[in-house]
Every structure is written in structure tokens, then in C-alpha cells.
Amino acid sequence: HVQLVESGGGSVQTGGSLRLSCAASGATNSRYCMAWFRQAPGKEREGVADIDADGRLGYVDSVKGRFSISKDNAKDTLYLQMDSMKPEDTAVYYCAADWSKYGYCSDDGVRVTDFNYWGQGTQVTVS
């Protein structure tokens, strides 16, 4: 039974930084795509960044140059380093995982429909 547990959310001022973590457990296959999503009040959930089993990265344009996704394979933990944060980054952030593409992430962007395992979310507020 796969579980994803996020941590590290909180409140930060504009221009500040936060680091989110997502611990994965219960996986029997070490090759999977992981991603971060976010959902602001009244808006649809959107992809932020993804990383495949070989370390290839993808980012949505709005966070390029400010956010950095990484993964510690030994700890099965995904990270999102968020710098130069803006009020529009305020959202609940979710991590997600997908085992259906043999460790590769979609070439068509970070899409909700490509992931079937989700964490519970962690609130990030930028003011």
C-alpha cells in the first residue's frame, strides 16, 4: 500500500523560501515518476514540477528559475525547494507518484490525470 506524506508547508513573506518534503512508502518498484501539484482556492489543481526515475526534470513556466524539484532515492523522499516566493504561489501543495510509465514522466507536461497516488497536501501561504 503506497503512501505519500507531505511536510514543510507554512507561511512565508514575499521573496522568502520554503522547502517541501514528500516521503513515499510501500512502493515495490523503485522506478516511478513523482511530481508536485498545487491548488489555490477556487482554482483547478495544477502541475508544478516533475522528476522521473533517471532524474530528468520538468517545470511549469510560472515557477522556472524559482522552484527546484529533487529526490533522494535512498530515502524515497521528494523535495520542492521554493525560492523568491510570490503571493500567487499560495496554495495547497500535493505530491503525487505514477508507476505506469516504467519510471518516466509524461512528455505532455505535469498533468493530474497521469498520477494515481497522492499525498494529503500541505498548505503554503505567501503574504
Side-chain angles (χ1 to χ4, degrees), residues 11-19 81-85:
S11 296
V12 65
Q13 292 187 333
T14 298
S17 298
L18 278 177
R19 188 193 195 204
Q81 177 67 40
M82 303 184 290
D83 299 318
S84 302
M85 296 187 73

Side-chain angles (χ1 to χ4, degrees), residues 15 28 33 36 38 47 52 62-63 71-72 74 85 89 91 95 106 109 118 127:
T28 57
C33 169
W36 287 100
R38 65 186 180 186
D52 72 12
S62 60
V63 306
K71 185 170 177 283
D72 185 330
M85 296 187 73
D89 295 322
C95 69
S106 171
W118 295 85
S127 60

Side-chain angles (χ1 to χ4, degrees), residues 104-127:
Y104 298 106
C105 298
S106 171
D107 291 331
D108 297 323
V110 190
R111 304 182 304 184
V112 171
T113 51
D114 286 329
F115 294 85
N116 47 13
Y117 292 94
W118 295 85
Q120 81 287 353
T122 185
Q123 177 69 47
V124 170
T125 303
V126 186
S127 60

